[in-house]
Amino acid sequence: MDRILSADGTPIAYRRQGDGPALVLVGGALSASAADAPLAALLAPRFTVLTYDRRGRGASGDAGPWSVAREAEDLAAVVGAAGAGASVFGMASGGALALEAVAAGLPVELLAVYEPPYTPGASGLLFKARCTARLHRLLAAGDRGGAVELFLSMTGVAEETAARMRRTTLWAELEAMAHTLAYDDALLGDGAVPVERFAAVAARTLVICGGFSSAPARAATRTLADALPRGRHRTLTGQMREVAPQVIAPVLADFFAKDVYAYRQAS
């Protein structure tokens, strides 16, 4: 992997593949760049795809106190390495990070996100508050496994499945990234869609959800799309929170096709 320094000097590891206009993929909670490899491989024939280890994960550093601004600076560094005109796709909380970065001034013209896990509404905000409090207690106690289990339960993973995962080599990797769950949790604030802040998102933005995702998750994506000045919404039939790369890849390719055309005209 290549490395670039973020604004605060933290090294951020990234991988580049493919040929075409630049597209940066931003992973969600408990994922490093390797998790984006299947999607990146499908997009690489049409795009120069950059995947990266977010702060505190994989081969990237984790210097100093965390903040939304610092994670946004990390993404800005990767976009800078991608080159002028780069587009961005963010998965789950990676979508929330991408939105925050663009709202703060990251120069991106085309942005797509898949189910940023906002939880608007009274019951959703209460759920988020309880999960945040429990996560902080677990991490303060050094219970990394408990924090991972909490995240898995929040995403609908059954206890039996989590128990089986504990017996795999993957579990150690998840525990190594458990502290970054607090970063993703903070990215989402109190769980409400930050309507006023996202009014500054000038990028043309596609907000995507799965047709088999929960009703609250689907409703949250519609609320988000409505809050964005140039937002539009799309539902992928048959998909859930863990979207199939082969399903979403052509959707993203079509959305970013304007850049593909411009790139080929200039080549």
Side-chain angles (χ1 to χ4, degrees):
M1 299 183 74
D2 294 319
R3 285 176 175 76
I4 191 167
L5 295 182
S6 189
D8 69 347
T10 299
I12 302 298
Y14 70 95
R15 180 174 285 107
R16 184 194 307 261
Q17 62 179 299
D19 181 54
L23 174 59
V24 177
L25 306 186
V26 188
L30 291 186
S31 69
S33 61
D36 292 323
L39 178 59
L42 292 171
L43 292 168
R46 297 181 66 181
F47 300 91
T48 298
V49 184
L50 278 74
T51 58
Y52 75 104
D53 291 342
R54 286 175 52 194
R55 180 175 293 245
R57 312 169 195 214
S60 289
D62 196 15
W66 180 90
S67 69
V68 174
R70 283 188 166 179
E71 275 242 47
E73 289 170 352
D74 299 344
L75 175 54
V78 178
V79 169
S87 300
V88 174
F89 168 66
M91 181 70 191
S93 55
L97 170 57
L99 286 161
E100 291 287 354
V102 175
L106 180 66
V108 170
E109 293 185 6
L110 295 173
L111 169 65
V113 298
Y114 187 86
E115 292 196 15
Y118 295 105
T119 54
S123 61
L125 298 186
L126 179 59
F127 173 77
K128 173 66 164 59
R130 288 173 173 171
C131 289
T132 296
R134 186 179 174 195
L135 175 64
H136 287 175
R137 288 196 299 268
L138 290 167
L139 291 176
D143 188 356
R144 287 177 168 263
V148 172
E149 286 186 333
L150 172 62
F151 169 74
L152 293 176
S153 69
M154 290 171 60
T155 57
V157 175
E159 290 185 14
E160 299 80 14
T161 302
R164 288 195 297 271
M165 291 175 65
R166 269 189 174 272
R167 299 192 290 270
T168 68
T169 56
L170 172 64
W171 194 260
E173 297 176 17
L174 296 178
E175 285 196 353
M177 295 185 287
H179 64 288
T180 66
L181 288 170
Y183 304 170
D184 289 271
D185 180 77
L187 270 171
L188 300 169
D190 63 1
V193 175
V195 174
E196 292 187 7
R197 190 157 66 251
F198 285 176
V201 175
R204 186 156 62 91
T205 307
L206 178 63
V207 181
I208 313 168
C209 73
F212 280 177
S213 293
S214 69
R218 287 184 278 116
T221 59
R222 290 194 176 277
T223 299
L224 173 60
D226 290 342
L228 298 170
R230 302 176 68 195
R232 63 187 180 93
H233 186 273
R234 177 160 179 178
T235 300
L236 299 185
T237 303
Q239 296 302 298
M240 302 177 68
R241 182 185 181 96
E242 296 297 328
V243 64
Q246 66 271 23
V247 173
I248 196 168
V251 174
L252 295 176
D254 287 346
F255 178 66
F256 296 123
K258 177 182 176 182
D259 274 2
V260 172
Y261 177 77
Y263 176 86
R264 288 176 176 168
Q265 290 293 102
S267 297

